[in-house]
Amino acid sequence: MKYMLTYDLMETMRNTNQWLGATARAFAAYPAMASAANPWVEWLGAWGEVTERSFERMVTKPDWGIGAVTTEDGKDHTVRIETVVSKAFGDLIHFRIPGRKPRKRRVMLVAPMSGHYATLLRKTVISLLPDCDVYVTDWHNARDIPVSAGKFDVEDYTLYLVDFMRHLGPDTHVIAICQPAPLTLAATAYLAEEDPAAQPRSLTLIGGPIDPEANHTEVTDFGRTVTMGQLEQTMIQRVGFKYDGVGRQVYPGLLQLASFMSMNAATHTRAFSDQIFRAAKGEASDHDKHNTFYDEYLAVMDMTAEFYLSTVERVFKNREIARNVFTVDGVHVDIGAITDVAVKVVEGEEEVLADRLDRGERVLWGGGPSGLRLGTAEALTAALGALVLARRREFGMLRHIGMTRAQISAMLAREGLLVSALGLCVGLLLGWLISLVLIHVVNRQSFHWSMEVYLPWGNLLLFALSLLILATLTAVLSGRQAMTGDAVRAVREDW
């Protein structure tokens, strides 16, 4: 997959979905559409609003959003973010608070480079600001870094941390969260040997894979069964022409996001379905719980291919840091050289994230038609059911003018059958077209082989019939539930 075509194909799909969302939102906003007394118009606009926002956030770096902090004098002081060390692949930024007394504690937060931005540590920064002078490693998106800037692997990452620690000096407390914990430990050991005077005062490692084998999980099993060649061929792509890093080999953020989302597909489907209906009812807002979470969750960044692959090989597979054989620029880094730094390791008891990441990558690799079918059926039934329940007033009006429950149920059955049939036709057509692109274009260019297109007609027919029956029953049963109340009261509910 190490070609620009696959990277640009993902970006094209993201851009197309963003455009479709914007188009649907604009279409539903036309004054003429207000004359159609049908909840589908509100639903279409809400779907467009949520879709446009979601796909737009995937390529947008979130803002820190920390405007002020209250200090001991009871006053709010503004927070200014300043870059104190600037490098090609990451900066060291300082949250400076003008007008307050200097703080005794200087804290450097080492943010993970694992697919999301450093803004994931926003709440940690907010909690530390009243009592500490806070610095954070702000890693750059690999897609925006020109190839001329060179490589960036685990050794370069370690040397970056060494430079940041040297700049801040020995009176610094370093906190590494999750992924950077082992490399931060290595950077401290490097300083202990090369420049002891620059070592931090304390080192806190939270939930990081210092020794991946210490707590045997499915992740370690997965790491042993998958070869580096398989990872390189399936996960690495080249940045397309749209960005400054054109031609750079990366582990794309969109590919990571697909893995993250597949871990809990049903949960995410339900969350977005609920948000669409909240938007249709006018209950959604820019800073509601859903948008606050997903604005950060969907904002992903690319990692350099060499950093991703060297992390898997040297930290997880070979356990170089755990076995104390890690080297930087050919120099052995002895963890035992750390004698003057207070070190505290906070373990993750369940390692839930790592376990879910493992399952997510398995879904991404091997597929999972059963899960996909269940997710599709659940999403369709949830959407149809909610739409039908939202039409209580309409059903009340129809009963008020003489339609019987049986006639309304028959109408809903036809609507459910028609909508699901249309969705099936569009979905199967798009799936067939995408399979042709993957087989005859991507496979030929990436792996230099191809195969014949095989369509399992029996399984497809069974799935289509099941979905049609399920959608029809959902529409009818939801309609019966919506018609349980009094007809007059149903009409008056929304007045």
Side-chain angles (χ1 to χ4, degrees), residues 157-234:
Y157 187 103
T158 305
L159 292 175
Y160 267 49
L161 296 182
V162 168
D163 291 341
F164 293 158
M165 292 181 191
R166 277 178 174 156
H167 178 84
L168 294 179
D171 192 20
T172 304
H173 302 274
V174 177
I175 302 175
I177 301 174
C178 197
Q179 170 266 332
L183 298 180
T184 307
L185 181 65
T188 305
Y190 183 93
L191 279 175
E193 293 183 301
E194 301 293 327
D195 190 1
Q199 295 180 90
R201 175 174 292 186
S202 69
L203 176 63
T204 304
L205 309 175
I206 302 176
I210 305 299
D211 184 1
E213 290 284 341
N215 183 18
H216 200 68
T217 64
E218 292 183 12
V219 178
T220 56
D221 296 336
F222 183 64
R224 283 195 299 267
T225 57
V226 178
T227 67
M228 295 306 300
Q230 287 175 318
L231 284 176
E232 185 175 1
Q233 289 298 326
T234 55

Side-chain angles (χ1 to χ4, degrees), residues 217-361:
T217 64
E218 292 183 12
V219 178
T220 56
D221 296 336
F222 183 64
R224 283 195 299 267
T225 57
V226 178
T227 67
M228 295 306 300
Q230 287 175 318
L231 284 176
E232 185 175 1
Q233 289 298 326
T234 55
M235 296 296 174
I236 304 304
Q237 301 179 8
R238 289 187 185 272
V239 178
F241 292 99
K242 183 176 179 179
Y243 299 104
D244 292 338
V246 55
R248 176 177 292 279
Q249 291 191 12
V250 297
Y251 178 30
L254 292 179
L255 193 59
Q256 297 173 65
L257 182 61
S259 178
F260 292 151
M261 299 291 281
S262 67
M263 290 188 288
N264 291 295
T267 301
H268 291 300
T269 300
R270 190 176 302 109
F272 279 97
S273 298
D274 292 344
Q275 181 67 3
I276 289 172
F277 288 107
R278 281 194 295 269
K281 296 176 183 178
E283 298 173 357
S285 64
D286 278 346
H287 302 291
D288 60 21
K289 186 176 180 180
H290 176 94
N291 287 331
T292 299
F293 173 77
Y294 279 103
D295 283 355
E296 193 74 48
Y297 184 83
L298 295 175
V300 289
M301 57 182 286
D302 299 348
M303 286 189 286
T304 62
E306 58 271 15
F307 177 79
Y308 169 70
L309 295 174
S310 61
T311 298
V312 174
E313 182 175 21
R314 300 183 62 177
V315 176
F316 285 90
K317 281 182 170 290
N318 298 338
R319 299 171 52 239
E320 292 186 12
I321 293 177
R323 296 189 297 114
N324 200 20
V325 295
F326 187 70
T327 59
V328 175
D329 284 345
V331 178
H332 174 242
V333 178
D334 183 13
I335 305 300
I338 304 175
T339 57
D340 300 327
V341 180
V343 179
K344 182 176 183 178
V345 179
V346 181
E347 295 185 15
E349 182 178 359
E350 298 294 339
E351 298 295 343
V352 174
L353 177 60
D355 183 55
R356 288 179 178 176
L357 278 172
D358 167 54
R359 294 199 301 269
E361 288 203 352

Side-chain angles (χ1 to χ4, degrees), residues 6-7 86 91 116 146 175 384 396 406 476 485:
T6 51
Y7 190 97
S86 180
D91 301 332
H116 286 90
I175 302 175
L384 279 174
V476 173

